[in-house]
Each structure stands twice: as structure tokens, then as C-alpha cells.
Amino acid sequence: MTQNHMGQDSGVSRRDFLRTSSAGLGAAGMGLAATTSLANTDHTRQAQGERRVILLFLNGGPSHLDTWDPKPEARSEIRGPFSAISTNVPGIQLSEHFPLMAARANQYALLRGVYHEESPIHETGHQLINTGFLFRGGIERPSVGSVVQQLRGPRADNGYVVLGGRLGNTGVNVSHGQDAGGLGRQRDPDYLTASAVLSAEPTPTVERYGRTSFGQNCRAAARLVESGVDFVTVNMFETVFGQVSWDCHANGGDLSTTLEDYSRTVCPMFDRAYTALLDDLSERGLLASTLVLAVGEFGRTPQINARGGRDHWPGVWTAIAAGGDVQGGRVIGASDRHGTEPKDRPVHASELAATIYQHLGIDAAAKLNCGRHQSLAIAQADPIAELMA
């Protein structure tokens, strides 16, 4: 086994992972050619019943225990330094650093039993969340956004946009799954900046999201789905090195994020931008047709490490779903009392992709011709039936 920047044995060597994964990143996006038309498209073009998706990809892996699955009754080295607060839905608690989310718990559902059983490195979770598959046998699976473009047919504008930059170095040089893979460059996303999308808006609208890159990228995502883009991914962070992110090892150096950074920066940034996005979509009549899914690639270790941080843990974590047919104010699944593994209703990471397809009216059992690898299934799991019930 190999040691990696998680600070623990991965259980699967990087060599094994590289051997079974496709090498390298997908081709570059199609550039900014569509920017003007995306920004200026008549907003009335989007029929309110036409389904869209916004995926908030929380690169780095949020600690479930310090965010949306607190364990206030656990001993201190498990529950961590934060208190749990009540929400506007009786029985649902969040970390104290999400007061805006707590006031809107009726708007979203928490999936507290998400898990996978692959190597606990960022890239396995990246691939599973973005494509629904772990890449094996040299097959680079297309992202869900690229599949949606392929199956929904040609469009005047790109139907798949990534905001927040292309995912960069997270430890292993393999695809993160956000490009088109074998579908070819024509189905890669447009990698856009918020400034390329946004036009002037009243200051209160700008401020409600927060003057952070993530906040303004969420605002841009709302404008893109309003203009008719089918699938928008917002990468909250491009990398886990040299910056504050969700990757809270507290190692110092390039991996310097601590739980104090969660309380001061990362959690308030998400709390503000996420709730502004839901409010904005709702006010514009778009939330009922737009699935908003927020998820990272894994959770964090149930026990705080010797440095006061937490390491990688794909055994269980939390995803947040809102919009579309999602019934808010609910918790689906649960982790055990220490946040170690699912206690009931486990949700494999690949089920999230199948659920996105269901929201868009795409048959998850459909086949897809993908370069030399013919007739690949677009999903390997069933949609999460309880989420839309």
C-alpha cells in the first residue's frame, strides 16, 4: 500500500490506480466562442418546464461531521470543535457555520449515506461523481454533462458549461471526469469565467451571493440555466494544494486547510452562495425545473487527526439536493453514530449520476457509442427513488 497526502494508507497503490485508469486529462474545452451568445440570449428562450442541472462540485471533500451531518452526542475527538444548530425543519441539525442553510432546510434534502469503496484519493471520487463510473481498462468515460449534450442533440450554444476553472492537481495525474472522454472534443464543456457570463446587475443581487469567486460563479450558473444551458458545473476549488479548500488535513505547507479555515472562510462562503442560488432560482421561476446538486468526492475521517484536521474518508458523506422534483425538508439515509459508514439507505456515488439522468428525462439504462468502445451504458446504478418521492 502507498502513503499519499491523505496521511494514511490508501489500501490501493497509486500504481494500481494508474494502471486501471485512463491516463491524462481530457481535451481542452471549446473555449469562449459561445460566451457572447450565452450572455446575451433572450431569457424567455428557457421554457420554465425545460429541465436543467447545476452541479456544485465541492472539490477537496467536505467533512460531513463538521458541515451537514454533525454528531453532537459523540466525544470531542469525533464531533469536532463546532456546535450543532437546529433548522427550520424539526429534527434536522447542521453545523453552526450554516445559519442561512438552517433557515431554509425545507428547500433541500440531505443524503447522509453517500459512499464508495474505491481507493480514498480525490480522483476516484471525482470520476464517480462526474461520470457515474470509475475509469477502468483505459476507457475514459464521458461526464454526465457531455452525455446530456450527446443525447439531447446539437444546440446553437454549448449545452454544458464548467465554471470555476478546470480541475487541476489533486495528487494523481488522471482524468477528473469532467470532459467528454471518448465522445470527442465537440462534447467537452465550455470552461467559462463568471465575468464572461455576467452582465451588470443591482448591487444587492451581487452581494447576496458574496463577493467571492464561488459566489459569483453560482450567480453565473443561475444566469446560464436561465439562458438555456442544460448542464452547469461549478467547481468550488480548482485544486487542493496551496489554497484553502475542503481538504482539511491541517498538514501545513501546501495542505494547510484547517477546521478553523472551515469556520472563517469555507463554510460561510458556501452557506451564503448556496442559499442565494436557491433563492434566486426560486424568484425567477427556475427552481422547479433545475436540479441543484452539491457534493464533494468523499467525506473526512470520523476521528480528528493529531494535527487537528481530518483525512480522506469515502466510507460515508453527505450530498445536498434541491430543485426539480426533490422534496425538501428531508434526510435520506444516515451515517452511524460516529459518521463512519452508512447506517441505513446507503447511496453509492454512482447513484447520483443516475438521478441526474432521471431528472432530465434520460433513460439511465440507455447505451452510448463512445469512440472505439461501443455501446457503453450511461449509468451503472438506479436513480435515488426516495429523493423525488
Side-chain angles (χ1 to χ4, degrees):
M1 294 189 290
T2 186
Q3 282 274 336
N4 52 47
H5 80 264
M6 307 174 291
Q8 60 182 355
D9 286 333
S10 71
V12 176
S13 72
R14 288 191 181 192
R15 179 176 297 176
D16 289 341
F17 180 69
L18 287 164
R19 185 166 56 242
T20 57
S21 302
S22 85
L25 293 171
M30 288 168 25
L32 301 180
T35 301
T36 302
S37 59
L38 284 171
N40 296 331
T41 300
D42 184 349
H43 287 174
T44 62
R45 195 186 92 180
Q46 153 117 345
Q48 292 187 357
E50 193 168 357
R51 299 271 173 133
R52 314 291 186 198
V53 172
I54 296 174
L55 171 61
L56 304 179
F57 190 68
L58 312 184
N59 187 27
S63 166
H64 51 297
L65 295 106
D66 301 295
T67 56
W68 308 296
D69 189 9
K71 304 293 181 183
E73 304 303 320
R75 59 186 187 270
S76 61
E77 63 268 28
I78 291 171
R79 73 171 181 267
F82 306 149
S83 299
I85 57 172
S86 297
T87 69
N88 68 343
V89 176
I92 297 180
Q93 292 187 312
L94 305 176
S95 161
E96 63 183 302
H97 298 299
F98 297 92
L100 300 176
M101 287 187 68
R104 297 164 176 79
N106 60 303
Q107 294 182 352
Y108 54 82
L110 297 170
L111 298 161
R112 284 180 171 167
V114 183
Y115 78 101
H116 75 71
E117 297 174 319
E118 308 299 337
S119 180
I121 55 179
H122 295 281
E123 297 77 16
T124 52
H126 290 179
Q127 292 177 3
L128 284 165
I129 296 298
N130 286 307
T131 75
F133 292 87
L134 185 68
F135 297 0
R136 300 187 188 278
I139 300 175
E140 185 172 342
R141 296 275 182 167
S143 66
V144 175
S146 295
V147 172
V148 171
Q149 278 201 92
Q150 180 78 1
L151 296 182
R152 283 200 163 183
R155 298 171 54 82
D157 298 322
N158 196 347
Y160 174 30
V161 170
V162 173
L163 297 160
R166 181 187 294 271
L167 289 177
N169 180 24
T170 53
V172 178
N173 185 27
V174 295
S175 174
H176 302 282
Q178 290 190 339
D179 291 320
L183 287 179
R185 292 174 60 95
Q186 73 277 11
R187 297 303 184 203
D188 277 347
D190 251 338
Y191 286 91
L192 302 182
T193 63
S195 61
V197 174
L198 295 171
S199 56
E201 292 185 332
T203 298
T205 303
V206 177
E207 293 287 351
R208 73 193 300 190
Y209 280 92
R211 289 189 179 273
T212 63
S213 294
F214 179 64
Q216 296 310 301
N217 284 328
C218 286
R219 184 164 71 98
R223 302 301 170 263
L224 286 169
V225 297
E226 188 171 28
S227 70
V229 176
D230 292 325
F231 197 102
V232 181
T233 294
V234 178
N235 290 326
M236 189 168 180
F237 303 106
E238 290 183 52
T239 180
V240 298
F241 296 107
Q243 67 176 78
V244 169
S245 73
W246 293 109
D247 200 32
C248 59
H249 295 284
N251 281 352
D254 280 348
L255 290 164
S256 59
T257 299
T258 65
L259 291 178
E260 185 177 352
D261 290 319
Y262 268 34
S263 64
R264 290 185 306 185
T265 303
V266 185
C267 295
M269 184 194 309
F270 181 85
D271 190 42
R272 185 170 183 176
Y274 178 72
T275 54
L277 177 61
L278 297 191
D279 290 349
D280 197 2
L281 290 172
S282 180
E283 291 163 8
R284 292 169 183 265
L286 299 170
L287 189 59
S289 58
T290 305
L291 175 65
V292 182
L293 180 64
V295 63
E297 63 267 39
F298 44 48
R300 313 301 296 193
T301 46
Q303 188 154 335
I304 291 178
N305 65 30
R307 302 171 301 279
R310 299 188 194 264
D311 300 316
H312 299 182
W313 192 260
V316 71
W317 75 98
T318 299
I320 313 165
D325 296 325
V326 170
Q327 302 299 305
R330 296 188 302 157
V331 176
I332 297 171
S335 64
D336 63 17
R337 64 192 184 96
H338 288 162
T340 303
E341 61 184 5
K343 183 178 70 174
D344 57 61
R345 187 39 175 114
V347 172
H348 191 270
S350 60
E351 293 178 64
L352 298 173
T355 303
I356 291 172
Y357 290 132
Q358 180 190 52
H359 164 76
L360 293 171
I362 294 171
D363 182 2
K367 299 287 187 179
L368 187 70
N369 288 335
C370 193
R372 64 186 177 88
H373 305 289
Q374 299 298 307
S375 298
L376 292 180
I378 67 167
Q380 62 175 331
D382 294 326
I384 305 163
E386 305 95 313
L387 192 58
M388 311 296 183

